[in-house]
Amino acid sequence: METIRVHDKVFKEYLSADLIQQRVSELAAQINTDYINKRPLFLAILNGSFMFAADLFRQVSLDAEISFIKIASYKGTRSSGQVMTAIGMDQDLHGREVIVVEDIVDTGKTLHHFLPSLRQQEPASIRIATFLHKPEATNFSVPLDYVGFSIPNKFVVGYGLDYDGLGRNYGALYQLV
Ligand code: 5GP
């Protein structure tokens, strides 16, 4: 079995590059069907989703747009708690069909706190496409519409996901040994 070393840790191959590509094609086909005659706006969340977003978007055969944003968190007032805000959002979302593209939904905290600010802009619809989901770890409710793979609650790298900055460049996904 193929293993890689990233910093001080060893990871074993968990999803092959071929399997990932096959699944991404299926998701793209589903999106092509669901958004026929529409013009969706993909909002890819950096950094982790860049590879998934590129592979997915390449196979979208609709009139579609893509924009890349970063999410930064800050402590809001005591009543509003944690707030996530988008950096680089230069699109008007009003009336748009938005597809948020994420690398992984772990606890769900990031999207749970970020979605309200998207909804404020009154898009026609918001759906979420995530490459990975860790159901056992998710304790914030987030509506997931397109899920590449549901995986166990173990740390993974590759296909855009990093461990302390490294490991994003692999086409396969690797799980901590
Ligand atoms: P959440 O807010 O859903 O708990 O966390 C989402 C973010 O945590 C992801 O966008 C990702 O950056 C990071 N994350 C969660 N689990 C993993 C993992 O197994 N591997 C890597 N590389 N990042 C993860």
Side-chain angles (χ1 to χ4, degrees):
M1 186 201 316
E2 204 207 330
T3 61
I4 58 166
R5 178 174 282 276
V6 182
H7 292 296
D8 57 331
K9 298 205 185 326
V10 176
F11 295 80
K12 62 173 189 233
E13 187 175 300
Y14 180 66
L15 301 173
S16 72
D18 281 351
L19 186 63
I20 291 172
Q21 290 305 321
Q22 195 185 316
R23 183 70 187 128
V24 172
S25 299
E26 289 171 7
L27 294 181
Q30 188 64 53
I31 289 172
N32 287 334
T33 304
D34 292 350
Y35 287 84
I36 197 156
N37 297 326
K38 292 188 172 145
R39 185 183 289 226
L41 169 62
F42 288 72
L43 269 191
I45 299 178
L46 294 173
N47 292 328
S49 81
F50 77 94
M51 208 175 274
F52 174 51
D55 286 347
L56 184 69
F57 196 67
R58 202 195 318 257
Q59 298 193 58
V60 168
S61 53
L62 310 156
D63 280 342
E65 292 174 58
I66 189 165
S67 206
F68 295 85
I69 58 171
K70 272 206 172 195
I71 295 183
S73 70
Y74 63 90
K75 280 257 182 281
T77 63
R78 198 135 57 98
S79 57
S80 61
Q82 193 154 19
V83 182
M84 305 275 178
T85 148
I87 301 174
M89 181 91 88
D90 51 9
Q91 296 275 346
D92 181 6
L93 303 186
H94 191 265
R96 298 300 306 267
E97 316 278 354
V98 174
I99 303 175
V100 176
V101 183
E102 254 290 27
D103 54 353
I104 180 165
V105 174
D106 182 28
T107 64
K109 189 175 163 190
T110 308
L111 285 181
H112 179 81
H113 288 287
F114 173 62
L115 288 176
S117 67
L118 280 192
R119 292 194 189 105
Q120 268 179 4
Q121 296 193 51
E122 300 184 331
S125 67
I126 302 176
R127 284 189 184 175
I128 296 169
T130 186
F131 170 50
L132 300 171
H133 180 213
K134 286 181 177 170
E136 295 159 23
T138 305
N139 49 30
F140 290 84
S141 95
V142 182
L144 301 178
D145 302 282
Y146 305 100
V147 176
F149 300 90
S150 288
I151 63 168
N153 192 10
K154 290 188 179 165
F155 192 77
V156 290
V157 296
Y159 199 65
L161 289 95
D162 75 311
Y163 165 43
D164 204 6
L166 296 181
R168 294 192 198 275
N169 50 310
Y170 294 94
L173 188 78
Y174 297 83
Q175 189 181 59
L176 188 61
V177 172

